Amino acid sequence: QKEVEQDPGPLSVPEGAIVSLNCTYSNSAFQYFMWYRQYSRKGPELLMYTYSSGNKEDGRFTAQVDKSSKYISLFIRDSQPSDSATYLCAMGTGRRALTFGSGTRLQVQP
Amino acid sequence: DSGVTQTPKHLITATGQRVTLRCSPRSGDLSVYWYQQSLDQGLQFLIQYYNGEERAKGNILERFSAQQFPDLHSELNLSSLELGDSALYFCASSVSTSYNEQFFGPGTRLTVL
């Protein structure tokens, strides 16, 4: 079993929809949680960074961390075709390399 | 633009050859990380350097090596290349030695023929 599980998708939604992307993990030592957006053949771009549990909002993006359930989510409101990309979750303990999910491919249809 | 630069963008070479990939971290960042991304393996951590010293090793093959120079740029050397080494190679940087907020470069696409 992988330390971080992420549904590969693809997830197809109409423009304007609310998108929910999720990762589950097994290592209770993870304290730092990140979401990256990666366009095709480009470098991952850091979208959200959260320490420990709770919510963080930035514009149309909201990240949630539930450490008790070992579950993190990224919500995208009013999704746009430009949001079409692969979304990678990443998490770490601060003492070793980040562990990345395999990525969820999102397609927002105009 | 993350501020991390990588050269070259594309590299096409033959099996058995050796190549060098270059990375310049964001201004002020002391840590550099190298990752390999292939279709079937996802993003795999290779190695980390902090202020010129190796700090952590991941799934890096013995044919691969890296270094970080006094000006903090880093090079990843890949030798005795095999077809399976074809992948995207990313460099990331962060301010500190902890492995948290990392900023990725645009990557080098390596094709081994």
Side-chain angles (χ1 to χ4, degrees), chain B residues 83-102:
Chain B
L83 296 177
D85 297 328
S86 296
L88 273 166
Y89 291 85
F90 290 106
C91 165
S93 72
S94 68
V95 170
S96 70
T97 185
S98 64
Y99 304 88
N100 305 326
E101 227 169 345
Q102 296 180 25

Side-chain angles (χ1 to χ4, degrees), chain B residues 59-104:
Chain B
N59 301 320
I60 188 165
L61 300 171
E62 284 192 14
R63 300 184 284 108
F64 296 0
S65 64
Q67 53 184 328
Q68 186 180 27
F69 295 87
D71 66 352
L72 300 177
H73 91 272
S74 178
E75 293 181 357
L76 179 67
N77 300 296
L78 314 176
S79 61
S80 303
L81 284 167
E82 302 175 358
L83 296 177
D85 297 328
S86 296
L88 273 166
Y89 291 85
F90 290 106
C91 165
S93 72
S94 68
V95 170
S96 70
T97 185
S98 64
Y99 304 88
N100 305 326
E101 227 169 345
Q102 296 180 25
F103 296 87
F104 282 77

Side-chain angles (χ1 to χ4, degrees), chain B residues 12 46 49 56 58 65:
Chain B
I12 301 174
L46 296 178
Y49 276 81
S65 64

Side-chain angles (χ1 to χ4, degrees), chain B residues 19-83:
Chain B
V19 297
T20 297
L21 313 183
R22 183 188 168 106
C23 167
S24 292
R26 292 187 321 158
S27 176
D29 285 358
L30 299 178
S31 269
V32 169
Y33 312 80
W34 286 98
Y35 291 85
Q36 179 191 59
Q37 188 178 43
S38 54
L39 279 174
D40 58 346
Q41 291 290 327
L43 203 58
Q44 300 291 317
F45 168 68
L46 296 178
I47 197 165
Q48 181 212 5
Y49 276 81
Y50 175 76
N51 204 21
E53 293 189 2
E54 181 185 306
R55 287 301 293 247
K57 267 187 175 179
N59 301 320
I60 188 165
L61 300 171
E62 284 192 14
R63 300 184 284 108
F64 296 0
S65 64
Q67 53 184 328
Q68 186 180 27
F69 295 87
D71 66 352
L72 300 177
H73 91 272
S74 178
E75 293 181 357
L76 179 67
N77 300 296
L78 314 176
S79 61
S80 303
L81 284 167
E82 302 175 358
L83 296 177

